[in-house]
C-alpha cells in the first residue's frame, strides 16, 4: 500500500495540492486524471520521492518495491536492451553484477566463496535464473523482436526505447507501479498487450493516461485531481464521469430545494415578525434559516475546446483514387503496390505498427513526397487540410499566434481569426504569444484551428491526439464524428478510432495493406479469430510432423 498523508505542495504562493489524504491499496488500478496543469505528473513525483512536499508525507508498506516508468530516453544509451529491462529490479541487478565481479576474480578467496553463496541464495529467491527469459517475454509482448534484445539502447528508434523503458518498469513484479502516460508512442497492439498485462497484475497500479478506452479497460478506481484536492471514485473512467456529473446534478437540485425553503422562511419572517401572536414562530424560523447552508459547487477546472470542421463545399462522389503506389525510404520498401478508392462517406483509420509507412502515405497524398511508382488523384470537388505528425517547421518563425493563423485564413479580419483561436482556448493576450514558444498541446490546438479555418472537406490527420489532454481529445473526437466530409487518419486512441472510423486500413511490415469496411472493434475481433485459426493450423502441422 502507498498513501499520501496531509500532503501540501506550494510552488511560490500557489498551492498545487492542499491537505491531500488518499490511500492506494493492493490489487487495484487507479487512474489519476485531471486537467492539464492540475498536477498529475507532479503527484506521481511526490509518491515516488522525486519531489519533496511542503507539508505532509508519503508512506509505503515496509518491504514493498516501487517501480516507475522513466521518461529520460537517453539515460540507458550505453546499456544493452535486455540488461536495461532487468535494471528495473535494482536489487536483482546489483546481485547479478556483484556475482559476475566475484566470479571474474583470478584470486578467488574463501570470503569470496561465502559471499557468492549468499548472493546465489538471494538470487534464487528473487527468481534470478528466469530474469532474462522474463525480460524477453515483456519485450516480445510489447512488440520488440528478439534480434533487438542484445542491441545497445542508443541504436534504437525513439518509439522502441519507450517500449524498453516500459518493460523495465513492469519487470520483476513490483509491489507498486507508477505509470505516467504509458500508452504514448505505443502502437495499438502494444497498448492491447499492456491492457491485458495490467488487468492480470495483482499489485498496486497508479496510472496517468489521456486514453479513455485504456482507463476504462484497466482501472478499478479513478482519482480525480481538481482544485488541489483528489477525490477517489470506485469504477472506471466512464463510471467516474457519470458519477461526477450525477453528484453535481444532485448538489444543484439540493441547493434549489434549499433556496426554495430559504425563500419560504424569509417570506414568513417578513410577514409575521411584527405580529405578536406569530413572533415565536417567526423567531423559530429565523433559527431554522440560519442553519441552512448551500453546498459550494465549484465549476471544474477542466476546459473543453470547441472543434467544429465546417466544409465550404459539399464533396462529390469522386474523392480519392490511389493506384499501385510504392515508396522506398532509406532502403526499406514501406509502401508496396497500394491501391484503394475512397468513398464520399468514408472516414478511414490507418492502423498497425508501421508508423513510417502511414506518415509516408500521408505525405504522398498531400504532395510533400513523390511516389516511386503509382498515382494518386483527388476529386475536383475536394479540398484538403493536413495535420502533420512532425510540425517543427510549421512553428519555426517569429510570428504571433494571431498573425500565424491570419496567414492561413481566407478572411484577414483579426476578430474573425480570434474567434477560431477562442474556440481552441486561446483567449485575450494568448493571441500575441510567439508560436515558436508554444507547448506541444498548444501547437496541436493551433493546427486544429488552421484546419477549421480552411473550410476543407477532406481532412488528413497523422496522430492528432499526441500532446492533447483528455478534454481536447474528446472535443476532437466529437468534432470528427459530426464532420460531414471525409477523413484519413492515424491514431493510437482506441475509442477515437472505434467511434470515428467506418473503414480500417492496416499497413503491413512487407509494405502491403489490408482494407476492410468495418468498425475497429469488429476488425480486431476478426483479426484475433484469424490468429487463433493460424495458431491451430500451425499446431496441427507440428503434430503431423512429429508423428
Amino acid at each position: 500500500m502507498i498513501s499520501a498523508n496531509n500532503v501540501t505542495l506550494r510552488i511560490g504562493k500557489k498551492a498545487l495540492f492542499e491537505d491531500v489524504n488518499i490511500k492506494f491499496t493492493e490489487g487495484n488500478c487507479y487512474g489519476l486524471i485531471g486537467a492539464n496543469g492540475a498536477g498529475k505528473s507532479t503527484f506521481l513525483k511526490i509518491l515516488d520521492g522525486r519531489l519533496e512536499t511542503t507539508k505532509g508525507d508519503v508512506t509505503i508498506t515496509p518491504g514493498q518495491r516501487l517501480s516507475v516508468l522513466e521518461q529520460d530516453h537517453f539515460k540507458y544509451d550505453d546499456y544493452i536492451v535486455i540488461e536495461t529491462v532487468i535494471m528495473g529490479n535494482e536489487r536483482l541487478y546489483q546481485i547479478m553484477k556483484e556475482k559476475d565481479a566475484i566470479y571474474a576474480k583470478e584470486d578467488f578467496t574463501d570470503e569470496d566463496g561465502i559471499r557468492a553463496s549468499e548472493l546465489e541464495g538471494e538470487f534464487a529467491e528473487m527468481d534470478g535464473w528466469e530474469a532474462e527469459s522474463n525480460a524477453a517475454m515483456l519485450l516480445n509482448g510489447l512488440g520488440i523482436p528478439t534480434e533487438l534484445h542484445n542491441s545497445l539502447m542508443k541504436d534504437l528508434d525513439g518509439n522502441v526505447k519507450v517500449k524498453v523503458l516500459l518493460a523495465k518498469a513492469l519487470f520483476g513484479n513490483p509491489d507498486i507501479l507508477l505509470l505516467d502516460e504509458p500508452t504514448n508512442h505505443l502502437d495499438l497492439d502494444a497498448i492491447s498487450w499492456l491492457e491485458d498485462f495490467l488487468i492480470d497484475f495483482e499489485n498496486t497500479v497508479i496510472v496517468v493516461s489521456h486514453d479513455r478506452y485504456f482507463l476504462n479497460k484497466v482501472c478499478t478506481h479513478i482519482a480525480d485531481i481538481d482544485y488541489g484536492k483528489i477525490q477517489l471514485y470506485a469504477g472506471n473512467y466512464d463510471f467516474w464521469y457519470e458519477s461526477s456529473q450525477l453528484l453535481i446534478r444532485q448538489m444543484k437540485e439540493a441547493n434549489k430545494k434549499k433556496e426554495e425553503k430559504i425563500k419560504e422562511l424569509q417570506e414568513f419572517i417578513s410577514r409575521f415578525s411584527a405580529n405578536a401572536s406569530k413572533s415565536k414562530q417567526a423567531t423559530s424560523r429565523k433559527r431554522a434559516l440560519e442553519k441552512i447552508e448551500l453546498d459550494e459547487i465549484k465549476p471544474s477546472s477542466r476546459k473543453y475546446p470547441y472543434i467544429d470542421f465546417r466544409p465550404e463545399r459539399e464533396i462529390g462522389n469522386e474523392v480519392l483514387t490511389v493506384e499501385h503506389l510504392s515508396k522506398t525510404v532509406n532502403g526499406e520498401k514501406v509502401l508496396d503496390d497500394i491501391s484503394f478508392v475512397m468513398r464520399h462517406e468514408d472516414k478511414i483509420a490507418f492502423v498497425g505498427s508501421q508508423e513510417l509507412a502511414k506518415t509516408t502515405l500521408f505525405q504522398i497524398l498531400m504532395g510533400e513526397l513523390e511516389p516511386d511508382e503509382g498515382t494518386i488523384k483527388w476529386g475536383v470537388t475536394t479540398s484538403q487540410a493536413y495535420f502533420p505528425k512532425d510540425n517543427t517547421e510549421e512553428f519555426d518563425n517569429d510570428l504571433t499566434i494571431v498573425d500565424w493563423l491570419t496567414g492561413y485564413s481566407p478572411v484577414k479580419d483579426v476578430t474573425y481569426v480570434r474567434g477560431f483561436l477562442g474556440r481552441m482556448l486561446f483567449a485575450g493576450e494568448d493571441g500575441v504569444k510567439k508560436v515558436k514558444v508554444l507547448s506541444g498541446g498548444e501547437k496541436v490546438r493551433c493546427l486544429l484551428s488552421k484546419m477549421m479555418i480552411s473550410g476543407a472537406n477532406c481532412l488528413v490527420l497523422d496522430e492528432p491526439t499526441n500532446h492533447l489532454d483528455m478534454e481536447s481529445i474528446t472535443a476532437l473526437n466529437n468534432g470528427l464524428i459530426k464532420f460531414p466530409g471525409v477523413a484519413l487518419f492515424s491514431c493510437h486512441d482506441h475509442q477515437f478510432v472505434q467511434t470515428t472510423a467506418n473503414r480500417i486500413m492496416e499497413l503491413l511490415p512487407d509494405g502491403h495493406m489490408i482494407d476492410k469496411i468495418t468498425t475497429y472493434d469488429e476488425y480486431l475481433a476478426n483479426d484475433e479469430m484469424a490468429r487463433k485459426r493460424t495458431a491451430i493450423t500451425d499446431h496441427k502441422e507440428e503434430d503431423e510432423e512429429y508423428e
Side-chain angles (χ1 to χ4, degrees):
M1 182 185 77
I2 182 170
S3 62
N5 313 300
N6 297 312
V7 164
T8 296
L9 178 66
R10 294 187 178 278
I11 300 175
K13 294 182 179 180
K14 181 186 176 184
L16 192 59
F17 296 106
E18 192 80 53
D19 294 323
V20 170
N21 289 281
I22 189 169
K23 291 181 180 179
F24 303 99
T25 57
E26 185 178 348
N28 292 317
C29 180
Y30 300 85
L32 191 62
I33 65 170
N36 269 6
K40 301 182 291 294
S41 296
T42 301
F43 190 69
L44 288 188
K45 290 177 183 176
I46 290 173
L47 292 179
D48 69 29
R50 281 179 289 168
L51 201 58
E52 289 188 10
T53 61
T54 307
K55 188 182 76 173
D57 57 27
V58 172
T59 58
I60 297 175
T61 301
Q64 291 200 334
R65 183 170 71 86
L66 182 144
S67 183
V68 178
L69 174 58
E70 296 182 73
Q71 306 294 327
D72 185 350
H73 298 171
F74 305 100
K75 184 176 178 180
Y76 302 96
D77 272 2
D78 294 330
Y79 296 91
I80 65 171
V81 169
I82 201 82
E83 184 181 11
T84 302
V85 176
I86 295 172
M87 290 168 74
N89 188 332
E90 187 176 355
R91 178 56 189 156
L92 177 61
Y93 182 71
Q94 288 172 350
I95 291 171
M96 293 173 70
K97 300 307 286 184
E98 189 176 350
K99 277 201 316 159
D100 291 344
I102 290 174
Y103 291 139
K105 285 184 175 182
E106 292 183 4
D107 52 341
F108 191 86
T109 66
D110 290 342
E111 287 78 11
D112 289 332
I114 293 170
R115 180 57 181 160
S117 178
E118 292 172 349
L119 292 172
E120 290 290 4
E122 191 174 353
F123 183 72
E125 287 179 6
M126 299 180 74
D127 203 19
W129 296 110
E130 303 297 325
E132 287 199 12
S133 61
N134 289 338
M137 285 175 62
L138 291 171
L139 292 168
N140 290 332
L142 288 166
I144 300 176
T146 304
E147 56 265 27
L148 292 181
H149 292 187
N150 289 302
S151 302
L152 282 172
M153 287 286 285
K154 64 183 177 184
D155 295 331
L156 302 181
D157 291 337
N159 288 353
V160 181
K161 280 186 177 181
V162 169
K163 292 182 178 182
V164 176
L165 292 179
L166 178 55
K168 176 180 178 291
L170 304 177
F171 178 76
N173 196 37
D175 300 291
I176 301 162
L177 184 56
L178 305 184
L179 302 174
D180 192 356
E181 296 293 354
T183 62
N184 278 3
H185 308 293
L186 293 188
D187 55 77
L188 290 164
D189 284 341
I191 293 173
S192 178
W193 179 90
L194 179 60
E195 288 167 355
D196 291 338
F197 180 94
L198 293 180
I199 288 169
D200 294 335
F201 191 70
E202 295 180 350
N203 298 330
T204 305
V205 183
I206 305 170
V207 58
V208 172
S209 177
H210 291 146
D211 189 326
R212 298 157 295 170
Y213 182 90
F214 179 78
L215 292 176
N216 277 329
K217 195 86 180 284
V218 305
C219 289
T220 60
H221 295 74
I222 295 294
D224 179 31
I225 302 177
D226 214 352
Y227 292 105
K229 301 291 184 183
I230 302 182
Q231 181 71 38
L232 195 61
Y233 295 81
N236 61 15
Y237 179 79
D238 282 349
F239 189 82
W240 160 79
Y241 184 79
E242 293 169 5
S243 299
S244 59
Q245 295 302 304
L246 176 61
L247 181 61
I248 291 172
R249 286 197 300 271
Q250 288 174 336
M251 290 173 70
K252 286 181 177 179
E253 289 171 3
N255 276 355
K256 185 178 179 181
K257 291 179 180 178
K258 288 178 183 178
E259 287 168 351
E260 291 171 354
K261 185 66 175 177
I262 288 170
K263 183 179 179 182
E264 178 188 323
L265 293 172
Q266 286 175 335
E267 287 177 352
F268 187 93
I269 294 165
S270 176
R271 266 182 83 186
F272 298 111
S273 57
N275 187 321
S277 64
K278 299 278 189 178
S279 61
K280 284 186 178 181
Q281 294 178 41
T283 302
S284 174
R285 280 166 172 73
K286 281 182 182 178
R287 286 196 292 268
L289 182 61
E290 291 168 358
K291 293 178 181 178
I292 298 176
E293 292 184 5
L294 296 177
D295 294 321
E296 182 183 11
I297 305 176
K298 284 187 176 181
S300 173
S301 58
R302 292 175 173 81
K303 293 182 179 179
Y304 290 83
Y306 178 69
I307 298 178
D308 186 20
F309 301 107
R310 295 185 182 182
E312 290 182 353
R313 182 178 184 179
E314 187 175 345
I315 203 162
N317 288 327
E318 294 185 7
V319 180
L320 172 66
T321 302
V322 176
E323 293 185 331
H324 307 296
L325 201 70
S326 294
K327 182 69 178 177
T328 297
V329 180
N330 298 325
E332 178 187 356
K333 198 162 193 178
V334 296
L335 301 172
D336 187 2
D337 197 25
I338 301 296
S339 297
F340 65 91
V341 175
M342 191 172 190
R343 307 168 304 168
H344 71 277
E345 72 274 15
D346 276 343
K347 290 189 173 79
I348 304 174
F350 288 82
V351 302
S353 59
Q354 306 307 302
E355 305 297 326
L356 179 59
K358 298 174 201 171
T359 297
T360 301
L361 176 60
F362 290 156
Q363 289 175 329
I364 291 172
L365 295 180
M366 296 308 298
E368 293 188 358
L369 282 179
E370 288 292 326
D372 297 334
E373 299 174 31
T375 60
I376 65 162
K377 182 182 178 182
W378 288 99
V380 294
T381 62
T382 66
S383 55
Q384 299 81 38
Y386 180 40
F387 183 102
K389 191 173 190 175
D390 182 0
N391 56 43
T392 307
E393 290 186 10
E394 187 77 61
F395 298 101
D396 187 17
N397 56 69
D398 289 318
L399 294 174
T400 65
I401 296 177
V402 168
D403 290 340
W404 176 85
L405 187 58
T406 301
Y408 295 107
S409 174
V411 178
K412 303 303 179 184
D413 177 67
V414 172
T415 304
Y416 178 79
V417 172
R418 279 188 175 273
F420 282 88
L421 291 173
R423 296 177 190 176
M424 298 307 295
L425 308 180
F426 293 108
E429 295 301 311
D430 288 337
V432 298
K433 286 174 70 174
K434 296 289 183 71
V435 293
K436 65 181 178 183
V437 301
L438 297 178
S439 68
E442 288 173 325
K443 288 177 180 178
V444 170
R445 287 190 276 123
C446 278
L447 287 171
L448 293 174
S449 298
K450 174 186 169 184
M451 296 183 82
M452 284 193 290
I453 212 168
S454 73
N457 55 23
C458 181
L459 307 180
V460 180
L461 305 103
D462 194 358
E463 299 294 345
T465 61
N466 288 356
H467 307 293
L468 287 183
D469 58 23
M470 201 174 298
E471 291 72 38
S472 298
I473 291 173
T474 301
L476 176 57
N477 194 174
N478 292 336
L480 270 185
I481 289 171
K482 67 181 182 181
F483 175 56
V486 300
L488 304 94
F489 66 94
S490 64
C491 180
H492 290 162
D493 186 303
H494 185 119
Q495 186 167 336
F496 192 100
V497 176
Q498 167 60 19
T499 56
T500 304
N502 63 351
R503 188 172 176 182
I504 305 296
M505 294 187 180
E506 181 177 0
L507 294 169
L508 303 173
D510 62 3
H512 291 96
M513 186 179 76
I514 298 172
D515 180 5
K516 298 288 184 182
I517 298 173
T518 183
T519 66
Y520 184 56
D521 281 346
E522 289 169 345
Y523 182 80
L524 289 178
N526 291 332
D527 187 47
E528 182 64 24
M529 289 175 65
R531 288 179 186 177
K532 287 179 178 178
R533 285 195 296 270
T534 301
I536 291 169
T537 302
D538 290 345
H539 185 65
K540 285 181 177 178
E541 289 175 354
E542 288 174 6
D543 288 345
E544 289 170 1
E545 185 177 340
Y546 178 75
E547 290 172 359

